């Protein structure tokens, strides 16, 4: 670099010297007349004067343009710094929202809003900060603003959906969920929300369409989709039977059973409708297939309903077929013991009661054991000993709602107490899950 500059300088000096020598060798005079003025000078002096004038003009021009551009440069630097501070406030604010720091989130949201002056960018933060501080009206306003922009519409609708769900406005929630789903999102929570809202509104056909779309978008795991499908087909079967269409009721019940083999109420329904249609063998097969994977007393009840007029001995024989399909199920042994008691098959009754007692002791089993002592040996003392154990026996399994904790007599796709979809579970309610006596009294 240095060498090149030195070389250029040398060339320039040489050129100047050559030009000076050239002009010195060729002297001449110049006379300028202008407005009564007269200037006499030599050509080299005129050239030097011209050159000096040009250099001065160039310097002046440069100075002037610097002065003129200064405010603009100052403003753009200031804008840049504002933007950077705005983005910092935005990201810090979102971090504050994530950890639930309400105060800091609100402060940073205001800052970002002021510094960035672009509501599309700050909408999410300001909406979430407003939500955190409980200002739902402001949050809703901000989220609605986001809905108008295609890039943030999904985020806005999901936020509005959350707000609507929180205040229990299911109609508005369903509307937001539907609009958000229409944008083509593959979000699992959105698919589940829309399905739940449609199901709660009794729109089972629409709910099933949501599941079909969720399968295409891979929004939900396949087994989850099949389970939800069983719920919709079950409900549609109930509706068809109510509408006086037994053929559709049966085909929907069978579809529901195929979708989820573990639902006892679904299998019981399919079996009952098959029995009514005269398809005895299939009615029994449906119950056995569910009994093998998820034994349940409702299946025993449905099994007994297939032959209501049979003798006690016939009943024992037929029940044995079901029990054999899943010998680990205590409910099968209890049912068989009860049938054996009725048929006065004491030994068989005792066998099955002892098996059931080992698998899952319960009040019902103790009562049957007491009955056995009375009926077989007329042993009242032994019977009383079993009856004494009933009081402290573990609670019988029953349907309970996972959402509200209330018990339910029968399985249903939605909790009869609180309306939550698919919340009923079968089992022994533990003490920890029961409401405290004080609370129960308050509610009562
Ligand atoms: Zn409930």
């Amino acid at each position: 670099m240095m060498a090149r500059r030195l070389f250029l300088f040398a060339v320039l000096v040489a050129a100047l010297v050559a030009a000076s020598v050239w002009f010195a060798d060729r002297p001449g005079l110049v006379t300028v007349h202008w407005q009564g003025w007269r200037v006499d000078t030599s050509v080299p002096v005129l050239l030097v004067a011209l050159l000096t004038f040009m250099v001065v003009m160039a310097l002046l021009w440069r100075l002037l343009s610097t002065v003129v551009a200064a405010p603009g440069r100052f403003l753009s630097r200031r804008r840049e710094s504002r933007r950077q501070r705005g983005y910092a406030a935005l990201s810090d604010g979102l971090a504050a929202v994530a950890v639930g720091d309400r105060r800091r989130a609100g402060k940073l949201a205001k800052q970002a809003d002021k510094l960035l002056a672009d509501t599309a960018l700050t909408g999410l933060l300001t909406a979430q900060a407003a939500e955190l501080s409980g200002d739902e009206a402001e949050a809703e306003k901000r989220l609605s603003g986001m809905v108008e922009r295609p890039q943030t519409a999904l985020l806005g609708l999901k936020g509005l959906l959350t707000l609507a769900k929180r205040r229990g406005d299911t109609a508005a929630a369903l509307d937001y969920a539907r609009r958000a789903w229409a944008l083509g999102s593959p979000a699992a929570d959105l698919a589940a929300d829309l399905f739940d809202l449609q199901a709660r509104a009794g729109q089972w056909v629409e709910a099933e369409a949501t599941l079909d779309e969720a399968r295409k978008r891979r929004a939900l795991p396949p087994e989850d989709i099949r389970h939800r499908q069983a719920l919709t087909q079950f409900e549609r079967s109930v509706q068809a039977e109510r509408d006086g269409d037994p053929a559709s009721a049966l085909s929907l019940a069978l579809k529901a059973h195929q979708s989820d083999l573990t639902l006892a109420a679904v299998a019981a329904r399919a079996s009952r409708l098959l029995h009514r249609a005269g398809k005895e063998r299939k009615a029994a097969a449906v119950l056995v297939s569910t009994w093998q994977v998820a034994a349940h007393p409702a299946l025993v009840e449905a099994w007994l309903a297939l032959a209501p007029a049979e003798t006690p001995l016939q009943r024992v024989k037929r029940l044995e077929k079901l029990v054999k399909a899943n010998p680990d199920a205590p409910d099968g042994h209890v049912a068989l013991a009860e049938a054996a008691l009725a048929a006065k098959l004491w030994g068989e009754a005792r066998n099955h009661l002892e098996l059931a007692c080992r698998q899952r002791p319960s009040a019902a089993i103790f009562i049957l054991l007491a009955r056995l002592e009375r009926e077989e040996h007329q042993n009242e003392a032994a019977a009383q000993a079993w009856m004494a154990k009933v009081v402290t026996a573990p609670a019988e399994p029953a349907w309970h709602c996972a959402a509200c904790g209330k018990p339910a007599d029968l399985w249903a796709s939605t909790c009869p107490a609180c309306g939550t979809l698919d919340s009923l579970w079968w089992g022994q309610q533990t003490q920890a899950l029961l409401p405290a006596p004080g609370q129960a009294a308050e509610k009562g």
Side-chain angles (χ1 to χ4, degrees), residues 49-284:
L50 269 173
L51 209 68
T52 311
F53 177 74
M54 276 159 72
V55 167
V56 167
M57 283 312 282
L59 283 175
L60 263 176
W61 176 250
R62 212 165 146 179
L63 188 73
L64 201 72
S65 62
T66 307
V67 168
V68 166
R73 257 210 312 280
F74 171 74
L75 278 179
S76 88
R77 249 205 305 272
R78 215 174 96 106
R79 244 195 325 264
E80 183 55 31
S81 128
R82 267 176 82 90
R83 247 206 354 221
Q84 269 174 12
R85 278 186 294 144
Y87 281 124
L90 185 64
S91 68
D92 292 353
L94 286 171
V97 166
V99 298
D101 188 342
R102 200 179 58 201
R103 256 228 201 105
R104 199 169 141 71
K107 206 181 103 192
L108 288 166
K110 259 191 214 126
Q111 240 176 57
D113 216 21
K114 213 170 83 188
L115 289 167
L116 291 175
D118 180 354
T119 46
L121 271 174
T122 58
L124 179 63
L125 173 60
T126 45
Q128 287 188 334
E131 216 182 306
L132 262 184
S133 61
D135 188 352
E136 298 219 340
E138 176 68 14
E140 206 164 331
K141 200 182 99 192
R142 295 294 187 157
L143 290 165
S144 302
M146 288 170 76
V147 173
E148 278 153 32
R149 243 174 122 243
Q151 293 92 328
T152 52
L154 180 61
L155 217 50
L157 285 167
K158 279 179 86 173
L160 287 168
L161 166 62
T162 307
L163 284 183
K165 263 171 41 184
R166 194 174 303 156
R167 61 170 189 266
D169 186 348
T170 47
L174 180 55
D175 179 51
Y176 291 135
R178 222 185 251 135
R179 283 164 64 193
W181 184 246
L183 296 174
S185 154
D189 57 342
L190 181 58
D193 272 346
L194 178 59
F195 176 81
D196 287 2
L197 287 161
Q198 286 169 326
R200 284 185 83 152
Q203 301 173 351
W204 295 103
V205 176
E206 292 85 343
E208 208 163 345
T210 301
L211 292 179
D212 288 340
E213 185 61 31
R215 187 185 293 113
K216 277 184 218 149
R217 293 187 200 173
R218 292 169 195 262
L220 292 170
E223 63 273 24
D224 187 11
I225 291 182
R226 277 201 299 277
H227 172 69
R228 288 170 189 268
Q229 232 162 5
L231 300 183
T232 61
Q233 288 154 346
F234 174 84
E235 289 297 340
R236 288 180 57 205
S237 166
V238 171
Q239 189 61 47
E241 194 181 5
R242 212 179 287 148
D243 294 346
D245 182 356
S248 300
L250 174 57
S251 87
L252 283 163
L254 282 173
K255 273 188 198 163
H257 173 65
Q258 282 306 313
S259 298
D260 190 345
L261 283 181
T262 67
L263 293 172
V266 171
R269 175 174 187 78
S271 163
R272 179 171 61 78
L273 293 172
L274 282 165
H275 173 65
R276 189 183 292 169
K279 298 175 178 168
E280 296 300 331
R281 197 186 286 264
K282 192 147 189 218

Side-chain angles (χ1 to χ4, degrees), residues 241-434:
E241 194 181 5
R242 212 179 287 148
D243 294 346
D245 182 356
S248 300
L250 174 57
S251 87
L252 283 163
L254 282 173
K255 273 188 198 163
H257 173 65
Q258 282 306 313
S259 298
D260 190 345
L261 283 181
T262 67
L263 293 172
V266 171
R269 175 174 187 78
S271 163
R272 179 171 61 78
L273 293 172
L274 282 165
H275 173 65
R276 189 183 292 169
K279 298 175 178 168
E280 296 300 331
R281 197 186 286 264
K282 192 147 189 218
V286 159
L287 294 176
V288 169
S289 64
T290 295
W291 180 259
Q292 282 170 332
V293 290
H296 191 279
L299 298 169
V300 174
E301 208 177 295
W303 185 264
L304 296 180
L306 293 180
E310 65 193 342
T311 65
L313 208 62
Q314 284 171 328
R315 173 160 288 193
V316 171
K317 289 274 166 267
R318 209 165 55 82
L319 261 175
E320 270 168 356
K321 281 186 216 153
L322 181 70
V323 172
K324 251 194 331 212
N326 184 354
D328 294 332
D331 292 309
H333 295 292
V334 175
L336 200 44
E338 207 172 350
L341 267 174
K344 301 195 190 305
L345 299 170
W346 310 125
E348 187 161 357
R350 190 173 297 276
N351 269 348
H352 288 292
L353 284 176
E354 279 169 3
L355 264 170
C357 207
R358 271 203 295 279
Q359 288 165 330
R360 191 196 63 208
S362 77
I365 295 169
F366 298 152
I367 291 170
L368 286 174
L369 278 163
R371 211 180 117 193
L372 178 63
E373 291 300 339
R374 270 195 202 108
E375 293 183 14
E376 188 188 5
H377 303 301
Q378 288 78 45
N379 187 345
E380 190 57 33
Q384 286 301 327
W386 283 119
M387 291 308 284
K389 292 181 83 170
V390 167
V391 189
T392 53
E396 294 292 331
W399 290 113
H400 298 280
C401 173
C404 70
K406 296 230 170 76
D409 291 338
L410 292 169
W411 179 86
S413 59
T414 49
C415 167
C418 69
T420 306
L421 183 75
D422 199 19
S423 65
L424 296 185
W425 61 280
W426 177 257
Q428 285 166 300
Q429 179 83 284
T430 60
Q431 286 302 316
L433 284 168
L434 287 168

